[in-house]
């Protein structure tokens, strides 16, 4: 490409971005002023992105935790193309549906843990978590317990950005200005040993964090609590990996008080943790799960809620319309892409590879960083990981409450042409599951250089 034209295009796209685009989760004052504006990503291939200046960037985040099979997969493009020619759209309302919609439902039922055999589709994780709220209240209404309207989730949780899913979430800045959480949404401590564990062992703390749910159930009254929702591993909350004691105890508590257990598998699903679903990693059988992101590797928007036999049986037995649905529920094109995507995961054995090869390699390489003066803890499971930056390792104390260390490190990573994300002061990674071990080395080596530079910056103050 002519270099001049290339530069001109970058300038033009940045200008358009400034003049007409409101980017999500952005400060509209600073975003547009900084360094001439946004980076323009024009192409992806494998684990690499290319920007409009031709720079190659190693994507340690699989887009936003979603491009599990990597960029540029012809099989997925072809499946969308063929489905669009055959039938580009039809809905599943009014006693109709399409072949990819039901074929994917069967495939998901085969893969999902326990007896999660029924699928309700949406187009985003947020929509699916909204559906969970509606489905839960509908279920309890049908079960003759309409007062079971409360939801319990965790601080630091991210479940989406619509009004109900942001209420399920536990991120204060997403709630304060917006009149959230809505009524009926309650939050408890997450299983974040590094911040909240104190002198307890991780396993003791896991039980304590689970029992915070029990306390909340008792405080609200078990007869008013409809569901508990949590990610098996909290992703956007900072890759919080619970102690092994946590989830079995959460499940026991939910069963004891007849509270539905919902696993948000939007990030954990489709191999990220080295199991097909995060619930399988922890041996739990939720009543509902939500799926998105990796279901199509992000190639097209698609999400799903899956419910188990208990819920489906009650709804089928009692009858009455579930007055909820989206124009694009079960859209044939993303469903066809999801089927092709799952076929790739299976054909290339990517889940086992994550569990046995790349996940252990990432963990071993990250563990080398624990001697770094800035690194307080390394957490990883499969191909999701976090490196916690601290000022004082012994006291587990941070640099400041603006999370400068994380932001600084992230900027150094970007300058080194590797994409990592900072959540508070944790550097988090979630690369495509197709990543090679040598590419993991490049990521971790780049992170170490960035940590060194961050340490210098922090020392300068
Ligand atoms: N649940 C979980 C666990 C998620 O991570 C959603 C639901 C919502 O999905 P949609 O498709 O509505 O975005 C998510 C989304 C970040 C970041 O900064 C993470 C997400 C979205 C945007 C940014 O890490 N996760």
């Amino acid at each position: 490409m002519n270099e001049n034209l290339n530069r001109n295009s970058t300038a033009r796209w940045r200008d358009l971005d400034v003049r007409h685009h409101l980017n999500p989760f952005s400060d509209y004052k600073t975003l547009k002023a900084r360094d001439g504006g946004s980076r323009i990503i024009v192409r992806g291939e494998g684990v690499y992105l290319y920007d409009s200046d031709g720079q190659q960037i190693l994507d340690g985040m699989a887009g936003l935790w979603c491009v599990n099979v990597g960029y540029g997969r012809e099989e997925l493009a072809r499946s969308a193309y063929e489905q669009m020619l055959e039938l580009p759209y039809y809905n599943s309302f009014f006693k109709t549906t399409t072949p990819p919609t039901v074929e994917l439902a069967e495939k998901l039922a085969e893969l999902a843990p326990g007896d999660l055999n029924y699928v309700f589709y949406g187009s985003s994780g947020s929509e699916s978590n909204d559906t969970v709220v509606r489905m839960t209240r509908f279920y309890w209404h049908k079960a003759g317990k309409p007062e079971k309207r409360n939801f319990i989730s965790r601080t630091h949780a991210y479940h989406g950005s619509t009004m109900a899913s942001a209420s399920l979430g536990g991120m204060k800045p997403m709630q304060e200005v917006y009149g959230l959480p809505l009524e009926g949404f309650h939050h408890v401590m997450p299983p974040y040993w590094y911040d909240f564990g104190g002198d307890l062992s991780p396993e003791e703390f896991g039980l304590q964090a689970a029992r915070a749910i029990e306390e909340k159930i008792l405080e609200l009254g078990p007869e008013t609590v409809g569901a508990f929702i949590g990610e098996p591993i909290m992703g956007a909350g900072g890759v919080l990996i619970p102690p092994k004691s946590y989830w079995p105890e959460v499940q026991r508590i939910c069963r004891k008080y007849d509270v539905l257990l919902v696993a948000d598998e939007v990030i954990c699903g489709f191999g990220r943790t080295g199991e097909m679903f995060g619930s399988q990693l922890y041996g739990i059988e939720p009543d509902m799960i939500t799926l998105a992101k990796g279901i199509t590797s992000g190639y097209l928007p698609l999400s799903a809620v899956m419910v188990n036999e208990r819920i489906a049986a009650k709804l089928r037995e009692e009858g009455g319309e579930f007055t909820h649905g989206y124009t694009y529920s079960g859209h044939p094109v993303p469903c066809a892409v999801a089927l092709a995507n799952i076929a790739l995961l299976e054909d290339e054995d990517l889940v086992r590879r994550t569990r046995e090869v790349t996940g252990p390699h990432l963990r071993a390489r990250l563990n080398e960083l624990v001697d770094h003066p800035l690194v307080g803890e390394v957490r990883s499971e499969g191909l999701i990981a976090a490196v916690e930056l601290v000022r004082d390792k012994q006291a587990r104390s941070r640099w400041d409450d603006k999370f400068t260390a994380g932001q600084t490190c992230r900027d150094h990573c970007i300058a080194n042409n590797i994409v990592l994300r900072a959540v508070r002061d944790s550097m988090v990674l979630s690369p495509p599951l197709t990543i090679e071990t040598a590419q993991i080395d490049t990521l971790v080596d780049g992170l170490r250089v960035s940590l060194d530079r961050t340490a210098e910056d922090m020392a300068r103050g």
Side-chain angles (χ1 to χ4, degrees):
M1 203 188 294
N2 174 309
E3 216 189 308
N4 239 348
L5 180 70
N6 197 5
R7 241 199 316 271
N8 285 342
S9 304
T10 302
R12 177 160 177 273
W13 289 324
R14 284 195 175 144
D15 182 50
L16 296 180
D17 188 49
V18 170
R19 286 196 290 129
H20 296 296
H21 184 202
L22 298 175
N23 311 58
F25 279 88
S26 299
D27 178 337
Y28 300 126
K29 185 168 174 186
T30 59
L31 175 78
K32 306 303 181 182
R34 196 184 58 218
D35 303 332
S38 299
R39 190 167 206 171
I40 313 290
I41 302 298
V42 294
R43 196 166 74 80
E45 189 64 44
V47 296
Y48 295 104
L49 296 165
Y50 297 85
D51 73 12
S52 53
D53 295 326
Q55 182 63 55
Q56 186 190 63
I57 308 156
L58 178 48
D59 186 6
M61 280 305 296
L64 262 182
W65 325 77
C66 53
V67 187
N68 289 8
V69 299
Y71 297 94
R73 302 305 300 261
E74 203 175 323
E75 298 89 334
L76 300 198
R78 214 165 276 293
S79 67
Y81 175 82
E82 282 164 9
Q83 184 57 46
M84 278 195 192
L85 286 182
E86 185 73 21
L87 178 70
Y89 174 78
Y90 204 72
N91 65 69
S92 288
F93 288 53
F94 321 126
K95 294 187 185 172
T96 57
T97 193
T98 80
T101 313
V102 289
E103 278 167 24
L104 179 61
E106 181 199 37
K107 185 71 198 171
L108 294 174
E110 174 199 318
L111 295 175
D115 61 355
L116 292 160
N117 290 332
Y118 304 87
V119 182
F120 189 102
Y121 290 107
S123 304
S124 69
S126 303
E127 281 181 8
S128 277
N129 284 325
D130 269 41
T131 297
V132 161
V133 172
R134 304 258 278 180
M135 184 74 85
T136 299
R137 289 186 174 168
F138 187 64
Y139 168 79
W140 285 118
H141 178 78
K142 292 294 168 195
K145 296 182 180 173
E147 64 285 1
K148 273 172 107 58
R149 292 171 57 82
N150 283 317
F151 291 85
I152 300 175
S153 56
R154 287 124 8 127
T155 49
H156 289 330
Y158 189 83
H159 294 297
S161 201
T162 55
M163 295 295 270
S165 61
S167 296
L168 287 172
M171 299 204 174
K172 281 258 146 45
M174 290 180 68
Q175 300 179 334
E176 272 160 354
V177 181
Y178 311 94
L180 298 179
L182 299 172
E183 195 228 310
F185 293 82
H186 308 270
H187 301 87
V188 296
M189 155 178 76
Y192 187 13
W193 176 83
Y194 199 80
D195 259 25
F196 303 124
D199 295 332
L200 295 179
S201 73
E203 297 312 314
E204 287 166 345
F205 172 69
L207 293 177
Q208 187 188 75
R211 285 174 194 152
I213 301 165
E214 183 165 36
E215 283 160 28
K216 184 59 84 178
I217 292 172
L218 292 172
E219 176 195 321
L220 295 166
E223 69 288 353
T224 73
V225 182
F228 168 79
I229 184 169
E231 288 175 86
I233 290 172
M234 292 166 80
V239 183
L240 307 184
I241 300 181
K244 290 278 184 270
S245 58
Y246 180 74
W247 276 110
E249 181 68 1
V250 172
Q251 176 160 286
R252 187 190 69 76
I253 291 165
C254 287
R255 299 275 184 270
K256 178 173 175 192
Y257 297 103
D258 203 14
V259 167
L260 297 180
L261 176 57
V262 186
D264 179 334
E265 295 267 7
V266 167
I267 286 179
C268 292
F270 301 98
R272 174 64 47 205
T273 70
E275 297 290 338
M276 188 56 89
F277 297 105
S279 299
Q280 291 158 333
L281 181 68
Y282 294 111
I284 54 167
E285 291 192 357
D287 298 293
M288 281 191 241
I289 60 173
T290 49
L291 308 171
K293 295 190 188 275
I295 192 171
T296 59
S297 286
Y299 278 55
L300 281 177
L302 181 69
S303 67
V305 178
M306 299 188 71
V307 308
N308 66 6
E309 290 289 348
R310 169 193 174 177
I311 294 175
K314 177 61 70 186
L315 302 185
R316 289 181 160 191
E317 183 187 303
E318 294 295 318
E321 185 177 335
F322 183 46
T323 40
H324 174 70
Y326 310 108
T327 301
Y328 300 128
S329 288
H331 193 300
V333 182
C335 286
V337 170
L339 283 163
N341 175 59
I342 293 168
L344 280 185
L345 279 179
E346 291 183 334
D347 293 348
E348 296 175 6
D349 211 7
L350 288 173
V351 183
R352 191 195 55 78
R353 191 169 167 272
T354 299
R355 181 172 62 244
E356 293 177 8
V357 183
T358 45
H361 186 76
L362 177 65
R363 174 175 287 178
R365 289 300 326 269
L366 287 177
N367 275 337
E368 293 171 16
L369 297 176
V370 292
D371 65 0
H372 194 280
L374 275 190
V375 174
E377 184 186 58
V378 168
R379 306 184 281 271
S380 82
E381 199 66 71
L383 285 174
I384 183 166
V387 175
E388 185 91 46
L389 310 191
V390 289
R391 174 173 218 148
D392 179 337
K393 294 192 191 211
Q394 224 51 43
R396 297 191 221 155
S397 64
R398 300 277 151 60
W399 289 88
D400 56 43
D401 56 11
K402 294 197 195 74
F403 309 118
T404 315
Q407 284 309 315
T408 306
C409 189
R410 194 200 83 101
D411 291 347
H412 284 305
C413 287
I414 301 288
N416 278 319
N417 293 308
I418 55 175
V419 180
L420 269 74
R421 187 158 142 25
V423 177
R424 298 183 302 280
D425 276 335
S426 287
M427 299 308 298
V428 304
L429 293 97
S430 157
L433 306 186
T434 50
I435 195 167
E436 302 289 342
T437 52
Q439 294 166 330
I440 290 175
D441 292 341
T442 306
L443 271 182
V444 178
D445 293 343
L447 176 56
R448 183 180 275 280
V449 171
S450 304
L451 286 168
D452 289 343
R453 298 201 175 134
T454 305
E456 288 161 21
D457 290 345
M458 297 313 288
R460 264 198 299 272

